[in-house]
């Protein structure tokens, strides 16, 4: 007996009364229903996506970039703050007032700078716009976190609330010592606390007086050559000269694993192809191991070292040291630059290896590299502010040490430290060897511009090499030999640091 196919039973079901009820197939009807709802679903998804995008946009600008836009001089909301808040005071790390708001005989608020031009580029000015820390922390200085009771009282008495204060890392004694030492030269001195990255001093020459910025504005801007508003420590770009041999040495060490076995017999110059590198002043160093070549800053030896390096690895190392990245600090910075690849001609490789060629650095960049050596390979981000404090003395925001990452191994850092100690003990910075501070450093005499122009004078290094205290970078534009200018400047600053301990 044949059975009815199973599919025939799917078209009918017994109802509760024992009868059958037919259900027509609805596949085609369901498809039509979905087609009708499709456009509405698409529009709904679009509206949801737009809504989420708007939320993300608002979060980005109100959280991620809040301070940038609030600090912008184009932000009209700042006028509202100025009507209700007295701009906060900027203090040094040793408690001195660097910028404060006073009242003149007419009852008008006046921003004054007790140290005059000493902190000109770093603290900045107000009036003709803002610059320096006055600009970077403009919004914070115009906020008031004084007690609610006092705010209500001031509101009823039509008085302004006191703004929050900025407590910087800057040391007035060290800043003055650096300014005195650099006096007479264009250039910069940067001093960092080695273990924390706190900027203790940031001097730039030439300077201006922020107290008379309105009166002097036209004259200052008429002098295109001075670059008076430029913070040379962060924005000045210079060929690093032989201070860059720290980087070249690290590249060699990383490629070969050791400095042992290196030897070079210097006769005062090295020729590759049609290009010749000369040692400074035509000096002939004779037989040198690596430590000797570094201590005596032998250009010929380091040109030879450069020719043997893997160019792509050299470039990768430079990138890891932030030589092709802009440092994201509280103040505007210029980007250092290093341009070398597998196609670079030997002549440029030789120049680059001794800190010439197309390489340009800021003093802060070289201080950062030296600080990585001092900190067993860890690069610590420089900072200018310790905390923001309300008028009542309550901490509003505190800033802490921030690492930029490990850029070299502890072993590599220790090897570079020994090389830099040799520069002071028996090399080009031997005039520092009588100081009891165990200094490690590297000098540099950097050629620039046209032939015959006096070179820039450099020194970078750190004190108390086995347990570093401070890192220093000095550049004196057109200063000549580093041992004659930059090294004595560094000496004065280092002595001033320990004199106050």
């Amino acid at each position: 007996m044949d059975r009815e196919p199973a599919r025939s039973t799917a078209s009918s079901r017994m109802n509760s009364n024992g009868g059958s009820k037919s259900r027509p197939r609805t596949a085609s009807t369901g498809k039509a229903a979905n087609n009708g709802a499709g456009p509405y679903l698409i529009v709904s998804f679009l509206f949801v996506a737009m809504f989420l995008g708007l939320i993300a946009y608002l979060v980005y600008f109100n959280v991620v970039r809040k301070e940038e836009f609030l600090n912008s001089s184009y932000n009209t909301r700042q006028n509202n703050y100025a009507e209700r808040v007295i701009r906060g005071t900027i203090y040094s790390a040793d408690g001195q007032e660097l910028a404060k708001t006073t009242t003149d005989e007419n009852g008008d608020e006046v921003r004054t700078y007790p140290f005059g031009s000493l902190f000109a580029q770093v603290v900045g000015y107000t009036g003709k716009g803002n610059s320096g820390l006055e600009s970077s922390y403009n919004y914070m200085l115009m906020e008031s976190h004084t007690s609610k009771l006092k705010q209500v009282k001031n509101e009823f008495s039509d008085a302004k609330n006191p703004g929050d204060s900025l407590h910087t890392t800057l040391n007035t004694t060290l800043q003055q010592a650096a300014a005195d030492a650099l006096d007479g030269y264009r250039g910069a001195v940067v001093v960092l606390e080695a273990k924390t990255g706190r900027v203790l001093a940031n001097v730039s020459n030439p300077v201006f007086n922020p107290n008379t910025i309105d009166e002097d504005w036209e004259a200052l801007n008429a002098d295109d050559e001075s670059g008076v508003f430029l913070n040379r420590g962060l924005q000045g770009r210079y060929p690093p000269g032989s201070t860059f041999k720290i980087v070249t040495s690290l590249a060699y060490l990383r490629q070969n694993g050791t400095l042992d076995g290196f030897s070079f017999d210097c006769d005062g110059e090295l020729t590759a192809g049609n290009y010749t590198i000369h040692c400074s002043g035509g000096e002939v160093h004779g037989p040198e191991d690596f430590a000797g070549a570094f201590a005596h800053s032998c250009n010929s030896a380091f040109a030879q070292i450069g020719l043997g390096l893997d160019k792509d690895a050299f470039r990768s190392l430079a990138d890891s040291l932030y030589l092709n990245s802009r440092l994201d600090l509280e103040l505007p910075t210029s980007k250092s630059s290093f341009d070398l690849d597998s196609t670079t001609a030997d002549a440029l490789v030789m120049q680059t290896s001794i800190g010439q060629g197309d390489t340009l650095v800021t003093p802060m960049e070289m201080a950062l590299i030296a600080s990585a050596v001092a900190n067993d390979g860890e690069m610590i981000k420089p900072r200018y502010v310790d905390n923001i404090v309300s008028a009542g003395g309550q901490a509003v925001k505190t800033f802490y040490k921030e690492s930029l990452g490990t850029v070299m191994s502890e072993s590599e850092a220790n090897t570079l430290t020994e090389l830099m100690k040799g520069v002071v003990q028996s090399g080009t910075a031997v005039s520092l060897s009588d100081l009891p501070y165990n200094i490690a450093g590297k000098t540099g005499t950097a050629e620039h511009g046209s032939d015959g122009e006096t070179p820039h004078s450099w020194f970078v290094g750190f004190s108390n090499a086995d347990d570093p205290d401070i890192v220093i970078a000095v550049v004196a534009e057109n200063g000549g030999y580093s041992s004659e200018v930059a090294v004595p400047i560094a000496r004065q600053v280092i002595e001033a640091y320990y004199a106050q301990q």
Side-chain angles (χ1 to χ4, degrees):
M1 178 177 173
D2 294 334
R3 293 188 177 182
E4 185 179 4
R7 68 176 184 275
S8 64
T9 62
S11 61
S12 62
R13 295 289 186 270
M14 296 299 294
N15 62 22
S16 59
N17 295 324
S20 65
K21 181 178 181 182
S22 297
R23 291 184 179 176
R25 297 189 179 190
T26 59
S28 61
T29 304
K31 184 176 181 181
N34 287 338
N35 286 340
Y40 295 102
L41 289 173
I42 293 172
V43 172
S44 298
F45 283 130
L46 285 174
F47 271 109
V48 170
M50 291 172 63
F51 180 71
L52 293 175
L54 179 61
I55 291 176
Y57 176 86
L58 292 173
V59 168
Y60 174 70
F61 281 98
N62 283 282
V63 178
V64 178
R65 300 187 68 184
K66 173 186 176 182
E67 293 183 1
E68 176 185 343
F69 284 95
L70 287 174
N71 284 324
S72 172
S73 58
Y74 297 103
N75 185 358
T76 57
R77 287 179 60 186
Q78 292 177 10
N79 296 329
N80 297 329
Y81 284 106
E83 292 173 0
R84 297 183 290 105
V85 177
I86 300 173
R87 189 177 187 85
T89 302
I90 299 178
Y91 291 97
S92 67
D94 46 322
Q96 301 295 312
E97 293 176 329
L98 305 183
K100 63 180 180 178
T101 300
T102 59
T103 304
D104 64 16
E105 62 274 11
N106 298 320
D108 296 325
E109 292 179 4
V110 179
R111 195 65 169 170
T112 60
Y113 302 88
F115 285 84
S117 62
L118 183 60
F119 293 90
Q121 288 90 353
V122 60
V123 170
Y125 60 82
T126 60
K128 296 291 187 179
N130 297 329
S131 73
L133 294 175
E134 289 274 39
S135 175
S136 302
Y137 289 91
N138 185 52
Y139 169 67
M140 293 77 164
L141 291 165
M142 296 303 296
E143 274 197 314
S144 179
H145 285 87
T146 190
S147 69
K148 295 297 181 184
L149 181 62
K150 187 169 184 178
Q151 290 190 43
V152 171
K153 182 180 178 180
N154 287 336
E155 185 72 26
F156 277 101
S157 61
D158 198 27
K160 289 186 176 183
N161 292 311
D164 296 337
S165 294
L166 204 64
H167 289 252
T168 73
T169 61
L170 299 163
N171 181 295
T172 55
T173 300
L174 211 55
Q175 183 83 359
Q176 186 66 65
D180 291 344
L182 189 63
D183 187 39
Y185 294 97
R186 293 189 180 195
V189 177
V190 173
V191 184
L192 308 178
E193 192 172 68
K195 296 181 178 67
T196 66
R198 297 171 72 246
V199 181
L200 304 180
N202 180 179
V203 169
S204 178
N205 266 346
V207 295
F208 61 92
N209 188 345
N211 290 306
T212 57
I213 192 71
D214 289 341
E215 301 94 307
D216 301 339
W217 187 255
E218 288 189 13
L220 291 172
N221 283 279
D223 185 359
D224 295 333
E225 298 298 322
S226 71
V228 68
F229 294 115
L230 192 73
N231 185 337
R232 282 168 158 78
L234 302 182
Q235 297 171 296
R237 288 173 18 111
Y238 307 92
S242 291
T243 61
F244 198 76
K245 289 171 183 172
I246 299 171
V247 180
T248 306
S249 298
L250 179 56
Y252 178 91
L253 178 61
R254 189 163 292 180
Q255 179 171 304
N256 295 279
T258 181
L259 304 182
D260 295 340
F262 175 87
S263 64
F264 184 82
D265 190 0
C266 171
D267 61 6
E269 63 181 34
L270 178 73
T271 300
N274 297 321
Y275 188 76
T276 299
I277 285 281
H278 298 274
C279 284
S280 182
E283 187 172 357
V284 177
H285 297 104
E288 298 269 27
D289 60 8
F290 201 103
F294 189 90
H296 302 136
S297 206
C298 179
N299 288 340
S300 299
F302 272 83
Q304 183 66 57
I305 288 168
L307 290 173
L309 293 176
D310 180 288
K311 298 172 187 175
D312 290 330
F314 200 3
R315 168 61 184 258
S316 179
L317 171 62
D319 288 343
S320 73
L321 297 175
Y322 286 80
L323 277 159
N324 285 312
S325 301
R326 191 182 303 278
L327 297 174
D328 182 20
L329 307 182
E330 295 116 306
L331 298 175
T333 61
S334 295
K335 183 172 71 173
S336 299
S337 58
F338 176 91
D339 189 13
L340 196 73
D341 59 34
S342 58
T343 66
T344 303
D346 285 350
L348 186 53
V349 172
M350 295 164 72
Q351 294 172 36
T352 301
S353 301
I354 64 170
Q356 298 287 169
D358 297 330
T359 304
L360 294 172
V361 299
T362 64
M364 180 61 84
E365 169 64 27
M366 292 311 301
L368 200 59
I369 291 172
S371 76
V373 177
N375 283 293
D376 296 329
E378 182 185 16
M379 189 172 276
I380 299 171
K381 183 177 180 178
R383 61 180 170 87
Y384 286 83
V385 177
D386 277 331
N387 47 51
I388 298 170
V389 179
S390 72
Q394 301 300 312
V396 175
K397 187 173 183 178
T398 301
F399 300 87
Y400 299 98
K401 169 185 170 181
E402 183 178 343
S403 176
L404 294 175
T406 300
V407 297
M408 65 187 77
S409 70
E410 183 176 351
S411 175
E412 290 170 338
N414 290 339
T415 298
L416 291 176
T417 297
E418 291 303 312
L419 290 176
M420 294 171 70
K421 287 166 65 175
V423 172
V424 175
Q425 292 164 358
S426 60
T428 53
V430 71
S431 61
L432 299 176
S433 63
D434 64 312
L435 295 176
Y437 312 127
N438 193 18
I439 300 167
K442 185 70 191 79
T443 59
T445 303
E447 297 179 359
H448 65 98
S450 57
D451 291 340
E453 194 162 353
T454 306
H456 298 324
S457 182
W458 274 95
F459 177 83
V460 297
F462 48 95
S463 66
N464 194 21
D466 297 325
D467 187 18
D469 292 322
I470 59 171
V471 176
I472 183 170
V474 176
V475 62
E477 296 179 16
N478 304 109
Y481 289 114
S482 54
S483 58
E484 297 175 0
V485 178
V487 172
I489 290 172
R491 181 189 182 98
Q492 290 184 55
V493 176
I494 293 169
E495 288 182 317
Y497 172 81
Y498 286 103
Q500 62 178 351
Q501 299 304 302

